Amino acid sequence: MRHTFGKTLGGLLAALCLVSTFAMAGEMTCTASDGKGNCTAATGPDGTTLVVVGEGLKVGELMDCQDRGTLINCQALPRVAPPAAVTQQMTCTASDGKGNCTAATGPDGTTLVVVGEGLKVGELMDCQDRGTLIDCHAVRND
């Protein structure tokens, strides 16, 4: 019975190791090419450089790589367009005393920290979230 249990456990461990080999790789950056538009080496997030096969990929491109056992096959990551800048109207609620708006209230009543040069408290502004700051400008009446 122990022999059967040992063989079963050993088989399961071997299968687990084989499956984990296929799951390795992931997102990598191409670091070398063959000069014909094929990536030949890539670096992973841990800094390890590996020999890869990546057709139609240039140095510097991000790739999704799969370890196939005998080779690491890479494909270009799909490019996602950045979201379109959304402009919303806000009203300046605080300034730094030098003519720059530092806080504003949006249409939903939420007050946010903003950057609005040359704007006074009470002025209506067009604001865009730039990711690191909310940039505001005076509303233009074109």
Side-chain angles (χ1 to χ4, degrees):
M1 173 122 162
R2 279 188 183 169
H3 181 68
T4 304
F5 180 74
K7 285 177 81 175
T8 303
L9 183 60
L12 287 173
L13 287 174
L16 184 61
C17 289
L18 182 61
V19 170
S20 68
T21 301
F22 289 115
M24 293 188 70
E27 190 173 305
M28 301 181 86
T29 303
C30 181
T31 56
S33 77
D34 63 2
K36 299 175 186 172
N38 300 310
C39 187
T40 57
T43 302
D46 63 354
T48 305
T49 300
L50 302 170
V51 174
V52 299
V53 175
E55 295 181 14
L57 296 163
K58 299 179 217 144
V59 173
E61 279 191 271
L62 281 177
M63 309 175 297
D64 181 36
C65 300
Q66 297 294 318
D67 188 343
R68 304 280 187 214
T70 57
L71 62 92
I72 298 174
N73 187 33
C74 299
Q75 311 247 328
L77 280 176
R79 297 209 174 156
V80 178
V86 176
T87 301
Q88 67 174 335
Q89 287 196 342
M90 301 180 85
T91 303
C92 181
T93 57
S95 72
D96 63 2
K98 300 175 185 171
N100 300 310
C101 187
T102 57
T105 302
D108 62 356
T110 304
T111 300
L112 301 169
V113 175
V114 300
V115 175
E117 294 181 11
L119 296 161
K120 299 178 215 151
V121 173
E123 280 191 87
L124 195 58
M125 310 175 294
D126 285 330
C127 300
Q128 287 185 340
D129 187 345
R130 306 263 187 222
T132 56
L133 62 91
I134 299 173
D135 186 27
C136 298
H137 300 281
V139 172
R140 295 183 186 166
N141 296 324
D142 295 334

